[in-house]
């Protein structure tokens, strides 16, 4: 079955699995990713729209814009519409399946900026240079905690002064009391957008050791001690948040 935009509906966890392996961004996921992410992340479209609006104030001709964990390129397409001529885009992901989808989608949309897609593991840091904007949308949460500090430092170090980082993450509540509530209401949200109890349970198990959220304030501290001068939250819905940081 296909959604109106031609992306097949996410049914990755719709049938009962004997064993639940760790979640992977493989070809099965890449094929349905745009449906999966837009239904799994509340206000995904609005967060992307806001990110692109903010990005438009920072992207500078002659500099690089990086999208780390770019998946199918949704952010780059939106940023591209607000970027000056002469901006160079670099999408990085460790899933070749995602980058193949990304290339197809950007070509079909007639993306008009220079574009490089790189396969790389962000657990090893990132090669960032002459950057006016870096985007980490729902990606830092998949980087092992041990490697997060170095990645964020690499970003800050490779960024020009007044460069901007957009960070969208799933987060923990600041207190376990609220965290339980937020998670409960998040699963209610998933049921409202059509995921069955089985799908919600199996996906939760698959993500358990793979997606490791920090608290919003932990992310804020990480950004401040890594070289960003200004940090603010531009979006928050229970256990999802969008942050903006400027070097
Ligand atoms: C939830 S998706 C990001 C969504 C995307 N940024 C968007 O705006 O729709 C996470 C992405 O990060 C990539 N990823 C996960 N771990 C990674 C790693 N260690 N190195 C590079 N990419 C990674 C995945 O392949 C996936 O495409």
């Amino acid at each position: 079955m296909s959604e109106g935009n031609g992306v097949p509906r996410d049914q990755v966890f719709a049938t009962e699995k004997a064993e639940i392996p760790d979640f992977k961004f493989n070809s099965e996921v890449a094929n349905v990713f745009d449906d999966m992410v837009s239904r799994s992340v509340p206000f995904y479209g609005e967060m992307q729209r806001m990110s692109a609006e903010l990005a438009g104030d920072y992207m500078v001709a002659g500099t690089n814009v990086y999208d780390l964990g770019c998946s199918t390129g949704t952010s780059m397409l939106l940023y591209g519409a607000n970027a000056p001529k002469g901006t160079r885009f670099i999408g990085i992901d460790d899933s070749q399946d995602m980058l193949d989808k990304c290339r197809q989608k950007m070509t079909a949309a007639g993306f008009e900026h220079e574009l490089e897609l790189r396969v790389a593991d962000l657990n090893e840091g990132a090669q960032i240079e002459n950057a006016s904007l870096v985007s980490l949308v729902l990606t830092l949460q998949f980087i092992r905690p041990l490697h997060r500090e170095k990645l964020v430092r690499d970003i800050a170090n490779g960024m020009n002064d007044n460069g901007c980082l957009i960070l969208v993450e799933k987060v923990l509540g600041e207190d376990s009391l609220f965290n339980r509530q937020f998670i409960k209401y998040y699963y209610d949200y998933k049921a409202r957008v059509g995921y069955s109890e089985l799908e919600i349970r199996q996906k939760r198990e698959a993500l358990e050791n793979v997606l490791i959220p920090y608290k919003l304030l932990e992310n804020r501290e990480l950004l401040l001690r890594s070289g960003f001068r200004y940090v603010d939250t531009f979006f928050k819905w229970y256990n999802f948040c969008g942050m903006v940081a400027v070097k």
Side-chain angles (χ1 to χ4, degrees):
M1 200 173 25
S2 172
E3 294 299 282
N5 59 5
V7 176
R9 190 169 173 85
D10 166 25
Q11 297 194 308
V12 173
F13 295 96
T15 49
E16 180 123 37
K17 296 177 193 279
E19 247 184 82
I20 315 272
D22 280 350
F23 188 86
K24 290 226 160 23
F25 291 94
N26 55 21
S27 63
E28 186 189 14
V29 168
N31 274 332
V32 299
F33 184 74
D34 286 358
D35 176 60
M36 175 185 275
V37 72
S38 61
R39 283 198 295 135
S40 300
V41 178
F43 296 98
Y44 172 78
E46 177 62 5
M47 272 195 283
Q48 287 283 15
R49 191 200 64 75
M50 291 173 80
S51 300
E53 189 167 73
L54 288 165
D57 292 336
Y58 294 94
M59 292 179 290
V60 175
T63 67
N64 296 327
V65 168
Y66 292 84
D67 188 6
L68 308 183
C70 62
S71 299
T72 62
T74 300
S75 299
M76 288 193 288
L77 270 181
L78 292 169
Y79 299 164
N82 293 345
K85 260 199 169 66
T87 312
R88 189 166 168 265
F89 282 74
I90 299 152
I92 300 182
D93 207 289
D94 69 348
S95 164
Q96 185 63 55
D97 293 310
M98 283 294 193
L99 293 182
D100 291 346
K101 284 275 159 211
C102 181
R103 176 69 68 189
Q104 278 169 22
K105 194 161 116 181
M106 307 294 272
T107 305
F111 190 70
E112 57 187 19
H113 301 277
E114 190 182 337
L115 173 66
E116 180 192 343
L117 298 181
R118 279 185 204 159
V119 188
D121 181 359
L122 295 167
N123 282 302
E124 290 167 11
Q127 279 192 313
I128 307 284
E129 54 191 26
N130 185 28
S132 56
L133 183 89
V134 178
S135 166
L136 269 172
V137 174
L138 302 161
T139 298
L140 193 61
Q141 58 195 24
F142 289 104
I143 304 308
R144 274 176 245 133
L146 187 67
H147 302 306
R148 283 187 203 180
E149 184 115 12
K150 176 176 182 324
L151 175 59
V152 176
R153 274 187 197 282
D154 282 356
I155 293 169
N157 290 341
M159 198 174 255
N160 299 338
D161 286 345
N162 301 311
C164 172
L165 171 66
I166 303 274
L167 174 66
V168 173
E169 285 280 281
K170 194 169 184 181
V171 289
L172 296 172
E174 297 299 328
D175 185 283
S176 58
L177 169 75
F178 299 124
N179 197 47
R180 275 196 298 277
Q181 276 184 294
F182 292 178
I183 288 172
K184 182 172 67 161
Y185 293 130
Y186 173 54
Y187 292 140
D188 287 352
Y189 159 84
K190 288 194 81 170
R192 288 199 299 279
V193 295
Y195 284 113
S196 68
E197 256 180 59
L198 177 71
E199 286 175 293
I200 295 170
R201 177 175 59 75
Q202 294 197 122
K203 179 139 185 232
R204 186 188 65 220
E205 284 176 35
L207 284 173
E208 213 150 56
N209 301 315
V210 180
L211 191 171
I212 298 167
Y214 281 5
K215 294 175 179 173
L216 188 155
L217 290 181
E218 289 173 331
N219 280 321
R220 181 183 160 80
E221 287 303 314
L222 172 61
L223 295 170
L224 287 171
R225 70 173 177 269
S226 301
F228 290 95
R229 292 183 295 153
Y230 306 102
V231 179
D232 211 336
T233 303
F234 66 87
F235 177 90
K236 178 89 161 71
W237 183 97
Y238 290 135
N239 52 342
F240 286 87
C241 81
M243 302 178 85
V244 59
V246 169
K247 177 173 166 179

